[in-house]
Amino acid sequence: MTQLADRLSDLSTTGVHAITFEDIGLPVDAVREQVPDVAAGPLAPLLAEAIVHAYDAADATWSPAASTFPAGFAQQSSVLALTSALETLLGSTATIKALASNLNGALLDGLTDQVERGPLLAAARLEGAVRLAASEAVRPYQVWEILEELPADGPEDFLERLPRILGVALDCWAQQESRVSTAVRELLQHLSVDEVADVDALFELGCDRLRTALSSTDLADVSRLVSEARSLFAAAEAAEEARDDAAAYLAVCDSLLGFTACNADQVSSAADRIEQALERRRAWLHGTHQPAWLQPRQAAEAAWSQLLLQLRTAAEQLAADVWMDSWRAVDAVLAAYRSARTIQPLGTTTETPGLAALVEPAVADGFLRKEAFLSALRHAAAHPEDYPGPAFDDGAASVILARINARESHERSSSDDGDSDSEDPDSDAGRERLHRIAPTVARQLPLAQALQLAASLDNADLAAVEGIAYNSDVARLKATDPVIIPLLDTFLTRLSEHEAFTGTVRQTYTALATQTLLFLKSRADLERTHLFGTGKKDDPPFDYRRKPEKGQREANEADLQRDFHQWLLSGPLHGVVQVEMHNAGMGRADVLVQFGSLRYLTEMKQDPDDNSRAHIEGKYLTQEAEYTNTNVPFGQLLVLDLTPKTTSGGTLRVDEVAWLTTHRPRGATNDRLILAGIVTGNRITPSQYSR
């Protein structure tokens, strides 16, 4: 042990509050010579204290010795020593200004190789480098280069800590550098289907969607992105290792979309939930160390909480039939309107935040729905001196009135031209109504079809359809399921016996199989949902699983293909897979899912004669297995069961309509493994079995 290490050890045992080079008591040259060795060892955090003290005191005497710290720190092998020393160094502005460049190089040099040798250490080094770049102490280009090279299938200890680091990267650079933000998002998408990192990755993806929504000015984009964020937060909140911050942000999204849909109850419920989530979070974190660099996110949660309280009050006032105090009611709504235009809870710098794009139309609608309330607003804007309080926000009132007047003028003009919004579902008002009230429907259906559906429903019915669509969408993302998880575990046990089921193949096929099982479960529940047929003029929408009504065509495999295709496109795999109709089946309706060079074909069939496993395997399995000859030996077969249900005695359970089967052609040496599933068609309602 060096003299410097001995002195540091002695000082730590004596309980000196702040370790300084003066306390160490060694000559400058001796300290300079020994700093690299100590920086590479367990006493690096104590040495960091002395370095910070020297730079904070502007004592140039010790600068030459302190400058050699990064070279030795690059050899640090202890995660605890590295993180503790970094925490000390990064807490000093003067120290970072002096050492940032060399320290950045020490953290990033050989990092990608370190991932395999010491994953925990690699994660700590990457976190430190991201913090340096995020604080603008160094240029971020080296960090960006590393982020683009990170593996998606590294050691579990590394992957488990990666989502938080990637989330911070998106916090800082999502709007600045498209190449690195694209790489980070793709990596998070991969991690979102990895059981080690899925919950944290889903949360970070949700934050990214919400951040992007707040930087958009187009209502359709804002509505879609908030809806996507809501689904991702719901998945993270429903996981076995649930995150309270995910519950808080889920409530945020529910409140925003509830306010835009004029649903006061939803806004109030969401505000209660975020308060409960934040209380649990505060209790859980009480007395624990929280890194300073994560404080902005906790401040963001508080900002959201304040906004939701204002939205709840505004929603209650807009929904009320009578106002005992019109001034107070108008003031409450203006407070929510003003906050939506100024609050920046995720650090966005846009002048017209997406939050306002959601809230402003809802405020205008709220006034327009009630003539008395609109009259109160007009009087308040014209006579602010009548306000009994200290000051009335007549500026916000005037802006809202200008928006309302412009809208009324446009509607009168459209009506005079014989092209009113109520007659044209594709009008601006029709699009705005769809994206405000039913964002999930707008995301899951082609726009033209969603607009036609919305035009045929009043606001209450459209909101009900949105609820059904949202529940179906969230069902796919739940990380725990009492039926699916045991079934998936059984499949994975069998798949693991195949020599080709390793590495990326294991990860990607597991992700696809999970979504397929959730699809089969969702379609096993018979309810009036958004399951549509082709939707052409001569082929109106219908639920292809139900027994056809009089005059309605028979369902076919194309309906199943379309439904499964849309399920994958709107689910968590949409960003990392290519899903498209493919002609490999010589005209059959198939779905090809492609992860880079890996591809998995799902063959679609219909059968009106027999839904037994033996029949399905005997008739269709060979064809599906043939598609695996030029790629990995794994595929899927989905069959639409069109056998009569009136004499069947009921339908099969979800764990009875999915199984894993094998096929080996004569003379072949390797098995092909196929996930087979049945979607039950020709269904009748459960009550009809009692007649």
Side-chain angles (χ1 to χ4, degrees), residues 519-520 522-524 526-527 529-534 540-548 552-565 567 604-606 638-642 678-683:
F519 169 79
L520 292 172
S522 173
R523 297 316 181 242
L526 187 61
E527 57 185 17
T529 71
H530 59 291
L531 303 181
F532 290 157
T534 58
F542 74 106
D543 186 340
Y544 70 92
R545 302 168 303 167
R546 289 179 175 270
K547 182 180 179 181
Q552 193 175 63
R553 69 169 175 82
E554 296 283 343
N556 56 48
E557 63 198 55
D559 297 315
L560 172 60
Q561 181 276 334
R562 187 180 304 106
D563 189 23
F564 184 60
H565 178 221
W567 172 271
M604 304 290 172
K605 294 294 183 182
Q606 66 184 57
L638 294 184
V639 178
L640 179 60
D641 166 24
L642 296 178
I678 297 172
V679 174
T680 306
N682 258 342
R683 294 186 66 170

Side-chain angles (χ1 to χ4, degrees), residues 359-681:
V359 173
E360 287 181 3
V363 169
D365 275 357
F367 281 106
L368 281 169
R369 282 198 310 273
K370 295 185 174 67
E371 185 176 346
F373 205 11
L374 180 57
S375 297
L377 176 66
R378 293 190 188 280
H379 177 82
H383 305 283
E385 67 276 6
D386 293 346
Y387 182 58
F392 178 72
D393 192 351
D394 54 320
S398 299
V399 172
I400 295 174
L401 277 175
R403 181 185 180 94
I404 290 174
N405 291 336
R407 175 170 168 176
E408 288 181 324
S409 176
H410 173 72
E411 290 176 349
R412 285 194 298 270
S413 175
S414 298
S415 178
D416 293 341
D417 293 340
D419 185 26
S420 67
D421 289 337
S422 60
E423 297 174 354
D424 181 12
D426 196 31
S427 65
D428 290 342
R431 289 170 181 261
E432 180 180 297
R433 175 174 174 265
L434 170 67
H435 289 293
R436 284 196 302 105
I437 299 177
T440 309
V441 174
R443 181 162 57 92
Q444 291 188 346
L445 294 178
L447 180 60
Q449 194 174 52
L451 288 169
Q452 288 292 339
L453 172 66
S456 66
L457 301 171
D458 61 23
N459 286 356
D461 288 341
L462 181 58
V465 171
E466 164 65 13
I468 294 171
Y470 172 62
N471 289 337
S472 175
D473 186 56
V474 168
R476 82 168 72 250
L477 291 167
K478 290 189 176 179
T480 59
D481 189 290
V483 176
I484 298 303
I485 296 304
L487 192 60
L488 182 62
D489 287 344
T490 302
F491 288 178
L492 291 178
T493 299
R494 287 192 57 193
L495 287 164
S496 298
E497 297 172 356
H498 198 291
E499 61 181 9
F501 193 68
T502 60
T504 305
V505 174
R506 181 186 182 93
Q507 180 185 14
T508 54
Y509 189 71
T510 299
L512 174 61
T514 301
Q515 290 305 306
T516 301
L517 290 176
L518 289 171
F519 169 79
L520 292 172
K521 179 186 177 182
S522 173
R523 297 316 181 242
D525 285 330
L526 187 61
E527 57 185 17
R528 295 194 178 277
T529 71
H530 59 291
L531 303 181
F532 290 157
T534 58
K536 295 180 180 178
K537 184 176 181 181
D538 58 348
D539 187 9
F542 74 106
D543 186 340
Y544 70 92
R545 302 168 303 167
R546 289 179 175 270
K547 182 180 179 181
E549 298 177 359
K550 185 177 180 180
Q552 193 175 63
R553 69 169 175 82
E554 296 283 343
N556 56 48
E557 63 198 55
D559 297 315
L560 172 60
Q561 181 276 334
R562 187 180 304 106
D563 189 23
F564 184 60
H565 178 221
Q566 186 65 29
W567 172 271
L568 292 179
L569 282 177
S570 59
L573 298 182
H574 71 92
V576 294
V577 302
Q578 177 185 351
V579 186
E580 61 181 347
M581 288 179 287
H582 189 66
N583 198 36
M586 299 299 290
R588 297 289 186 181
D590 304 315
V591 175
L592 179 69
V593 181
Q594 189 158 342
F595 299 79
S597 61
L598 297 175
R599 67 184 186 205
Y600 307 101
L601 189 83
T602 302
E603 176 69 12
M604 304 290 172
K605 294 294 183 182
Q606 66 184 57
D607 198 300
D609 302 319
D610 191 342
N611 66 355
S612 69
R613 294 188 179 186
H615 172 78
I616 288 173
E617 291 183 16
K619 190 170 183 179
Y620 307 118
L621 185 59
T622 301
Q623 179 184 346
E624 167 56 26
E626 284 293 294
Y627 298 135
T628 68
N629 286 343
T630 58
N631 211 278
V632 288
F634 306 104
Q636 297 192 138
L637 170 65
L638 294 184
V639 178
L640 179 60
D641 166 24
L642 296 178
T643 58
K645 300 301 181 296
T646 52
T647 58
S648 65
T651 57
L652 300 175
R653 279 174 47 86
V654 63
D655 52 359
E656 296 170 332
V657 298
W659 68 98
L660 194 66
T661 185
T662 60
H663 177 76
R664 180 181 294 189
R666 187 179 297 111
T669 57
N670 293 317
D671 285 334
R672 283 76 158 158
L673 271 68
I674 307 298
L675 193 163
I678 297 172
V679 174
T680 306

Side-chain angles (χ1 to χ4, degrees), residues 12-347:
S12 69
T13 58
T14 59
V16 175
H17 293 297
I19 296 176
T20 68
F21 284 118
E22 286 76 13
D23 293 328
I24 293 172
L26 292 176
V28 173
D29 291 341
V31 171
R32 180 177 183 179
E33 182 181 344
Q34 297 172 37
V35 160
D37 289 335
V38 176
L43 298 179
L46 301 179
L47 178 57
E49 288 186 32
I51 291 173
V52 165
H53 182 274
Y55 279 118
D56 286 346
D59 187 352
T61 304
W62 301 100
S63 296
S67 66
T68 64
F69 181 89
F73 200 55
Q75 308 304 316
Q76 179 59 250
S77 59
S78 166
V79 175
L80 183 61
L82 186 139
T83 55
S84 181
L86 276 178
E87 198 69 35
T88 300
L89 295 172
L90 294 175
S92 166
T93 303
T95 303
I96 290 305
K97 184 177 181 180
L99 300 183
S101 180
N102 291 334
L103 191 59
N104 188 58
L107 292 171
L108 293 178
D109 186 33
L111 180 63
T112 52
D113 296 331
Q114 182 70 47
V115 170
E116 292 295 334
R117 297 197 310 271
L120 289 175
L121 189 65
R125 288 172 58 180
L126 178 61
E127 180 180 295
V130 169
R131 291 177 62 181
L132 274 174
S135 65
E136 299 183 352
V138 296
R139 294 181 182 274
Y141 305 119
Q142 284 183 281
V143 170
W144 290 355
E145 185 177 348
I146 292 293
L147 291 175
E148 291 182 71
E149 296 175 354
L150 287 177
D153 55 352
E156 290 185 358
D157 285 338
F158 181 75
L159 297 183
E160 186 177 9
R161 288 154 180 79
L162 194 52
R164 184 178 72 166
I165 301 171
L166 297 178
V168 173
L170 286 178
D171 281 344
C172 299
W173 305 306
Q175 308 298 328
Q176 298 180 21
E177 173 57 45
S178 59
R179 190 178 68 180
V180 69
S181 60
T182 298
V184 169
R185 289 186 178 106
E186 289 179 353
L187 186 51
L188 280 172
Q189 288 282 4
H190 279 289
L191 294 174
S192 70
V193 293
D194 188 306
E195 63 180 356
V196 174
D198 54 356
V199 175
D200 293 335
L202 288 167
F203 176 79
E204 297 299 342
L205 285 170
C207 288
D208 181 55
R209 297 290 196 282
L210 192 55
R211 182 190 308 105
T212 306
L214 297 184
S215 65
S216 176
T217 58
D218 181 74
L219 177 62
D221 289 339
V222 175
S223 176
R224 174 181 58 82
L225 290 165
V226 172
S227 177
E228 290 180 4
R230 180 173 67 171
S231 295
L232 291 162
F233 289 133
E237 190 267 343
E240 185 175 355
E241 299 179 1
R243 296 181 53 153
D244 285 324
D245 49 1
Y249 278 97
L250 172 61
V252 163
C253 295
D254 280 339
S255 180
L256 291 176
L257 295 175
F259 190 80
T260 63
C262 307
N263 188 332
D265 291 338
Q266 182 176 327
V267 177
S268 181
S269 173
D272 290 339
R273 283 160 43 213
I274 191 172
E275 288 302 314
Q276 294 167 4
L278 292 181
E279 285 179 7
R280 288 196 305 270
R281 183 166 171 77
R282 282 192 291 268
W284 182 257
L285 297 178
H286 178 70
T288 63
H289 171 69
Q290 294 299 307
W293 66 295
L294 293 180
Q295 291 300 317
R297 282 203 168 178
Q298 296 181 36
E301 293 168 12
W304 278 120
S305 180
Q306 179 181 350
L307 175 64
L308 293 197
L309 292 175
Q310 292 177 320
L311 289 182
R312 173 164 59 183
T313 303
E316 291 170 352
Q317 297 295 345
L318 290 172
D321 293 325
V322 178
W323 306 274
M324 300 305 295
D325 188 339
S326 296
W327 280 103
R328 181 178 298 175
V330 171
D331 198 25
V333 176
L334 293 184
Y337 180 91
R338 182 174 57 251
S339 293
R341 295 191 62 84
T342 59
I343 193 170
Q344 297 178 359
L346 284 181

